[in-house]
Amino acid sequence: MNAQRFSRLFPFGSHLCREPMPPMCELKRDVETLRAHGFNLIKLQEHWMIDEPAEEVYDFSRYEELIEHAAKLDLGVYLGLTCEQAPAWLYRKYPDCRMVGRDGRVLVYEAPTTLPADGKPGPCFDHPGVRDDQARFLSRLVKALGRFENVVLWNTWQEIGYWTEGLLGTSVCYCPYTLAHFRRWLLTALASGVTAICFWVTRAEIMAAEMNGFSLLDSVGESTPRLEEAARIGQALNRHADLFARPSTPPAAVGLLINEDNFLFCRTLSPGGEHLGYSLAGWYRLLWEEGIPVDFVSLSEPEEAPLEQYRALVLPFPLCLSEQAAARLAAYVEAGGHLICEAAPGRVNEQAFCNRGELSPTMAALFGIRQEDFTMVREPHGGARWSPRERTSGEYFDPVILAGTGPLAGHTLQAMVCLETFVAEVGEPCLLAGEAVAGVMRRLGEGQAWLLGTCAGHGAVAYRDAASRQCLLTILAHCGVTPVHSGRLLLRKRAIPGKEAWLLTNPTAEEITESLSVADWAQVEGLLGEPLAREGDRVTVTVGPLEVRVLVLSQE
């Protein structure tokens, strides 16, 4: 294999096989079919139980044969590891290596085959003996297969997750080993953009649970429309591998804040825990539909998420907030950032104790307010998507439409879930519920802090109305955030010096034709060879309903 050449390609492949494998002659023929259609990558899935049936007895011959065959065809190999399908001898060697459920039950399940679920959950890999034996096995696997130059991608955990809630009725793992090594998953944005694609699966599976589906090739035959189209896309991407095979997405202007403390607290709420998801999804949908790039930004890990790179930050349903996190947000605003915050920021702290005054002290000082009242509000039009049954008279206000004032004069915003009103001591009122202040904006130097006395994100996924949408867009505009494209098509970019890809999405049910300025670009072409009408510094593009077109622009 020409490794130097492969490093310049966009990896474009398909899963070939896992145990039990079809006949080797069929697999080799399928590898050749992929190569003939312009693919440059195959995926193989290995299984610990099969590859080390007895302790320190290994057999990697099937993979070696396929990898060698792929190398002769100048194909890269993506190797996925399935260690959850652990060998039986491991459980005998370490009787205490089984995972423990939330309720304290020891899970005795052992996967004798790949299905269901690739052997998940497997043994507890926080167990020191299991970890050592796994490391020994992986070292031997890498020594055997890593010598092949065309093994270009190692997936050390096939489909990350244990899936025990659905398989075994409990979450894992609560054994002493896991509790001693517990680490939080950090939720961050994948802002770089996709840099490789691998399809599931080349030919239809031979195992009953997933037979005759989810494949590029049917169970018989050497081609399908799916394979042909996938090959066409892969070949097009590799004509511009310099653009697509590297992180090339421009930085987003807006960050959606996620907070591990708040997530864990909201999971304990019944009812009410779903509001964080509603609000987060609503803000994301609003920004996506308006063509405003957005990242998910962790508020829990300061070293991983530099807030200052974002023009605006949105804090959805911020019921639980530590003073440390609040101080980060205050410092961001004081340094010139723009914060948009929903109701009740820091009503409880990270230890789930209520703050006096019903707000984070740091957030109250940032916005220059104190809480006056807090009441639940009924959903518009008599709906019941998220509201529990009213327990006492007066627990809910009737639906409320907030009136804009000051910087939001002339706008309205539908209140969702709750209505929080304030005494504005320093902050400037921007929303009113009758005579009461239901939103404030405070300027700190070049920065702005916006506090909305309701859950505005909900309105982007339910009971959507144009007036509320325009109100939120006006707030974003005050923060210096506007769509990257003024037309009806949604525009995302991949960019390197002297070259860009414009990904144009039509989210509507009708065809859209737009004229785009390409004044700074010498060459413009459709990624898939579609005809373009260019007149001077403008190009006309037509995108069908729910379709995507990609333009590649270069200065040479």
Side-chain angles (χ1 to χ4, degrees), residues 333-491:
V333 175
E334 291 166 359
H338 301 78
L339 175 66
I340 304 169
C341 179
E342 292 190 333
R347 193 173 183 87
V348 301
N349 64 22
E350 72 276 22
Q351 303 299 330
F353 290 109
C354 294
N355 279 310
R356 296 306 189 191
E358 290 68 55
L359 292 169
S360 154
T362 300
M363 297 298 276
L366 172 63
F367 295 113
I369 52 91
R370 55 185 173 86
Q371 179 179 293
E372 182 180 57
D373 196 15
F374 185 97
T375 309
M376 305 301 292
V377 295
R378 291 191 178 91
E379 298 174 37
H381 318 306
R385 295 196 178 202
W386 53 67
S387 300
R389 181 176 299 177
E390 188 173 18
R391 296 169 299 176
T392 60
S393 177
E395 185 176 12
Y396 285 87
F397 278 166
D398 287 334
V400 178
I401 295 179
L402 307 179
T405 186
L408 296 181
H411 294 280
T412 60
L413 180 67
Q414 178 77 54
M416 297 287 185
V417 183
C418 64
L419 174 62
E420 186 177 29
T421 58
F422 312 100
V423 175
E425 297 175 329
V426 179
E428 176 185 2
C430 64
L431 291 170
L432 299 174
E435 299 297 320
V437 175
V440 298
M441 188 275 282
R442 185 183 177 196
R443 302 180 190 275
L444 289 90
E446 297 296 319
Q448 297 176 4
W450 296 76
L451 175 59
L452 312 179
T454 192
C455 298
H458 286 55
V461 289
Y463 314 114
R464 307 173 77 197
D465 72 277
S468 293
R469 186 185 193 89
Q470 190 57 49
C471 181
L472 298 180
L473 292 176
T474 299
I475 294 173
L476 288 165
H478 279 294
C479 298
V481 174
T482 55
V484 296
H485 173 60
S486 59
R488 297 173 63 198
L489 295 174
L490 304 181
L491 173 63

